Amino acid sequence: MRIFNLQKLIITIFMLGVGFLFLFPFFWMVSASLKPEIEVFNFPIQWLPSTWEFVSYNYSQVWIENPFLLYYRNSIIVTVATTITSVTVSCLAAYGFSKIKFKGRDFIFLILLAIYMVPHQATLVPQFIMFRYMNLYDTLTGLVILNSFSVLGTFLLRQAFLGVNNEYLESARMDGAGHFRIFLSIMLPLVRPVVATYAILRFIWTWNDYQNPFIFLRSEHLFTIQLGVQSFGDEFGKYYAIAMAGAVSAILPLLIVFIIGQKHVIAGISSGGVKG
Amino acid sequence: MSRNSFRETVVGYLFIGPLMIGMILFTLIPIAVSLILSFTDWSLVQGIKDITFVGFKNFTYLFQDPVFIKSVKNNLIFMLVVPITMAISVVLAVLLNSNVYMKGLFKVIFFIPYISSVVAIAMVSQVIFHPSYGPINELLRTFGIENPPLWLADHDYALITLMLITIWMGIGYKLIIYMAGLQNIPQELYEAADIDGASGITKFFKITLPLLSPTSFFLLITGIIASFKVFDIIVVLTEGGPSDSTSVMVFYLYKQAFVNMKTGLASASSIVLVLIVLGITLVQFLAQKKWVNY
């Protein structure tokens, strides 16, 4: 018997090295955001600032001198509203596609699969024209609508719904329950973990969405955090410490959400194999 | 009975209704409109009356435009990101799955780039790859490389730099899918191989990889489709430059549509994009029989 497992230790040390490579940009970002400008590029890398007095200066540029609070407010409104609508729409459709037998169901599902192959940018120009026509251009509502109809979410949830034994549903039907009641009071509670996974993923994807706000928003007071941090970056591009304070402020909240929900996220991706 | 099945059909359509309305309004109709607009000479800022049909003129223009050709080529090069990311991910997944301390922590670490904002990552990349002061070039200089590449500012290296960043962002996701795939490989296979005295490398190539091939197929298909959608990182970091060296089809489309206001041309390029993606997907499905084991 060995006291410790040498091979396991070697692999762990190797993984720590790889892990450092993965985290390096984040360490660097945080470190730069704490420093005075002249120390940002010190090499060999100086991880901690020589003085801490620039921390408050750098971050006050982000949070007080610039409307980051407003960007956050917009991002939260868009992300929460999108997550709720998208989860609702996909849950309903997933139930329809898995537990109700109706004419044309499998054919429609096949068409959805084909639509999923089309890069969504191919629809950008007509969407833009329609949105201007419908007065949805340059509104937060428009952004919510753009991300609310997800084929991917429907696939993921349908997979989970298919896994639920039909006998549960049959006996409820015998008792006279309609589909909507079965859906609400039997189905949803049974697949709650998958719904939570999809909700977290949709939250992350919407929060990080850059392309739609970039194309469909113009007014600065409607900017989401991604647009906000970019215009901040353009403005302070040469002031790296301040720009990095902006980048940290854009990433950190989502990182916290992820770390809290990481079990759901990782489990959900393993089971559904989904991609934003 | 038939009244019953009629009711089921109505209820079924009510359940899928919201999704279908959204898909028809915001995807199907736009695709059809794209197709029509691709045969026109028109600009967003003009009125609908000013639409003129020009036949295939937009398409012939596209295939004579060196920037569009360059963009298609760049997309094809960019596809390499997918197999490279998959190769790194599968090795890391096998290592993580074998025997390692703090497995859960590593999964989280590798996943962090995937959930991070592209804009923030772009900002930090600009600094890390900074030609004169960035830590990467400082490091290269300490190794005696006197003229390290200028990375994003160098038209030979800009696309490679974007690919490196994309690989780094995508590993966590593929790694987790591979780890899930590894759970489905029966342990007895490895035990039998052990009895035969097979080495770790042999087991990896003869058991692990073939049995992971459905997972790899899934990742390849979705990955390649996603690689054609690359846009954010290009807009934020290079805007297609320097000198169009990082322009891709979606970026070209965006530029024609929203910068040059050439709606017809942009629509034609989106139709080409759809056809290329569908073509590649189809080829992959056909080739699947050759290398995917079920």
Side-chain angles (χ1 to χ4, degrees):
Chain A
M1 281 289 276
R2 273 180 287 182
I3 302 166
F4 67 93
N5 188 329
L6 187 65
Q7 193 198 3
K8 191 170 176 178
L9 197 68
I10 291 172
I11 296 179
T12 308
I13 290 169
F14 173 76
M15 282 306 202
L16 279 174
V18 181
F20 177 75
L21 275 182
F22 266 76
L23 294 182
F24 173 80
F26 297 103
F27 290 149
W28 204 92
M29 189 192 293
V30 173
S31 158
S33 77
L34 306 174
K35 290 179 190 169
E37 191 59 39
I38 49 162
E39 290 178 10
V40 167
F41 283 117
N42 280 1
F43 193 86
I45 297 167
Q46 171 203 343
W47 290 105
L48 291 176
S50 59
T51 155
W52 293 90
E53 56 191 281
F54 285 87
V55 178
S56 64
Y57 174 73
N58 292 342
Y59 280 91
S60 72
Q61 288 297 320
V62 179
W63 291 97
I64 298 169
E65 303 295 322
N66 274 279
F68 259 57
L69 281 172
L70 180 68
Y71 302 150
Y72 258 96
R73 189 197 74 122
N74 293 336
S75 271
I76 290 170
I77 292 173
V78 170
T79 309
V80 170
T82 307
T83 306
I84 293 171
T85 23
S86 176
V87 168
T88 312
V89 168
S90 285
C91 275
L92 285 170
Y95 183 87
F97 281 122
S98 59
K99 295 296 175 195
I100 306 178
K101 286 204 173 94
F102 58 91
K103 267 191 204 124
R105 181 182 80 171
D106 298 335
F107 177 70
I108 295 175
F109 194 70
L110 215 68
I111 290 182
L112 280 187
L113 255 170
I115 290 178
Y116 176 62
M117 305 282 167
V118 175
H120 58 267
Q121 288 104 341
T123 60
L124 214 51
V125 173
Q127 263 177 3
F128 184 83
I129 300 170
M130 280 171 71
F131 268 51
R132 286 225 305 207
Y133 189 72
M134 297 161 84
N135 288 326
L136 288 170
Y137 174 69
D138 204 24
T139 64
L140 295 182
T141 318
L143 281 189
V144 174
I145 289 175
L146 281 169
N147 278 323
S148 283
F149 304 99
S150 166
V151 175
L152 199 64
T154 309
F155 286 166
L156 174 71
L157 290 161
R158 176 180 171 267
Q159 220 49 37
F161 285 14
L162 283 174
V164 173
N165 199 325
N166 276 332
E167 279 166 30
Y168 281 121
L169 313 181
E170 290 302 329
S171 58
R173 300 224 67 186
M174 293 297 178
D175 295 342
H179 276 301
F180 197 69
R181 260 201 58 200
I182 296 176
F183 169 73
L184 275 185
S185 52
I186 301 179
M187 203 50 148
L188 285 185
L190 282 174
V191 296
R192 205 160 48 197
V194 185
V195 176
T197 302
Y198 177 58
I200 294 170
L201 285 173
R202 178 51 60 198
F203 191 96
I204 293 174
W205 294 334
T206 312
W207 187 271
N208 283 335
D209 181 19
Y210 172 76
Q211 183 183 294
N212 286 328
F214 176 68
I215 297 206
F216 290 93
L217 287 184
R218 186 184 47 197
S219 312
E220 204 182 330
H221 72 275
L222 293 177
F223 277 12
T224 61
I225 188 73
Q226 307 305 331
L227 288 184
V229 77
Q230 197 207 0
S231 74
F232 183 79
D234 289 344
E235 190 180 339
F236 291 92
K238 294 285 163 269
Y239 304 93
Y240 291 106
I242 298 173
M244 288 304 110
V248 171
S249 305
I251 284 188
L252 210 58
L254 192 72
L255 202 62
I256 294 167
V257 171
F258 167 66
I259 287 171
I260 293 169
Q262 47 110 350
K263 279 220 172 71
H264 279 303
V265 182
I266 290 178
I269 290 173
S270 316
S271 70
V274 282
K275 173 91 182 159
Chain B
M1 195 63 206
S2 83
R3 228 193 89 212
N4 213 338
S5 80
F6 175 72
R7 261 196 62 171
E8 286 283 292
T9 302
V10 172
V11 174
Y13 278 100
L14 282 178
F15 268 90
I16 65 165
L19 180 73
M20 294 321 290
I21 292 171
M23 294 313 292
I24 291 169
L25 269 181
F26 301 113
T27 307
L28 278 181
I29 292 179
I31 290 175
V33 173
S34 265
L35 187 62
I36 296 168
L37 287 178
S38 70
F39 295 108
T40 66
D41 181 17
W42 187 55
S43 160
L44 279 173
V45 286
Q46 292 175 302
I48 296 193
K49 278 181 196 147
D50 293 321
I51 292 185
T52 46
F53 280 86
V54 292
F56 283 92
K57 221 175 109 190
N58 289 325
F59 292 93
T60 46
Y61 178 86
L62 281 183
F63 288 103
Q64 283 160 4
D65 182 359
V67 181
F68 184 71
I69 309 256
K70 178 89 188 158
S71 307
V72 176
K73 275 188 195 152
N74 283 343
N75 263 127
L76 297 179
I77 298 172
F78 211 90
M79 269 179 13
L80 283 176
V81 161
V82 183
I84 295 171
T85 316
M86 283 168 62
I88 299 173
S89 306
V90 76
V91 170
L92 289 179
V94 168
L95 285 177
L96 270 188
N97 206 47
S98 61
N99 215 351
V100 65
Y101 296 101
M102 303 179 290
K103 193 171 172 176
L105 177 70
F106 283 121
K107 273 193 193 176
V108 173
I109 289 176
F110 294 137
F111 203 66
I112 287 178
Y114 179 78
I115 58 141
S116 299
S117 135
V118 171
V119 184
I121 284 182
M123 283 165 83
V124 73
S125 307
Q126 255 161 356
V127 192
I128 286 179
F129 286 104
H130 194 289
S132 358
Y133 317 112
I136 290 185
N137 276 1
E138 292 278 13
L139 190 72
L140 289 177
R141 280 194 207 96
T142 60
F143 285 135
I145 301 169
E146 285 189 7
N147 293 309
L150 304 180
W151 303 110
L152 292 162
D154 184 332
H155 58 81
D156 288 329
Y157 280 91
L159 190 67
I160 295 176
T161 313
L162 292 180
M163 288 167 76
L164 285 175
I165 300 169
T166 311
I167 291 171
W168 171 76
M169 288 182 82
I171 287 176
Y173 164 79
K174 294 188 165 66
L175 172 101
I176 284 168
I177 306 257
Y178 269 128
M179 289 194 75
L182 286 173
Q183 306 304 317
N184 299 329
I185 301 182
Q187 215 46 48
E188 299 88 61
L189 290 177
Y190 292 108
E191 285 157 14
D194 282 336
I195 295 168
D196 293 342
S199 70
I201 307 270
T202 315
K203 280 187 281 184
F204 178 74
F205 282 105
K206 298 283 177 194
I207 301 174
T208 313
L209 273 192
L211 285 172
L212 280 178
S213 60
T215 310
S216 301
F217 176 68
F218 166 78
L219 287 177
L220 194 68
I221 291 247
T222 53
I224 283 179
I225 294 175
S227 85
F228 278 91
K229 293 181 185 170
V230 60
F231 176 74
D232 297 2
I233 194 143
I234 291 174
V235 175
V236 183
L237 269 182
T238 64
E239 295 191 16
S243 58
D244 299 316
S245 59
T246 56
S247 178
V248 292
M249 275 188 276
V250 170
F251 184 76
Y252 181 92
L253 186 165
Y254 153 76
K255 223 172 148 184
Q256 293 297 358
F258 299 107
V259 182
N260 302 341
M261 297 290 168
K262 297 202 163 157
T263 307
L265 204 55
S267 302
S269 58
S270 54
I271 297 299
V272 176
L273 172 70
V274 171
L275 290 179
I276 290 180
V277 172
L278 288 184
I280 289 178
T281 312
L282 200 68
V283 169
Q284 289 182 88
F285 268 106
L286 294 177
Q288 161 198 22
K289 290 195 187 82
K290 290 228 190 294
W291 62 277
V292 178
N293 306 291
Y294 287 103

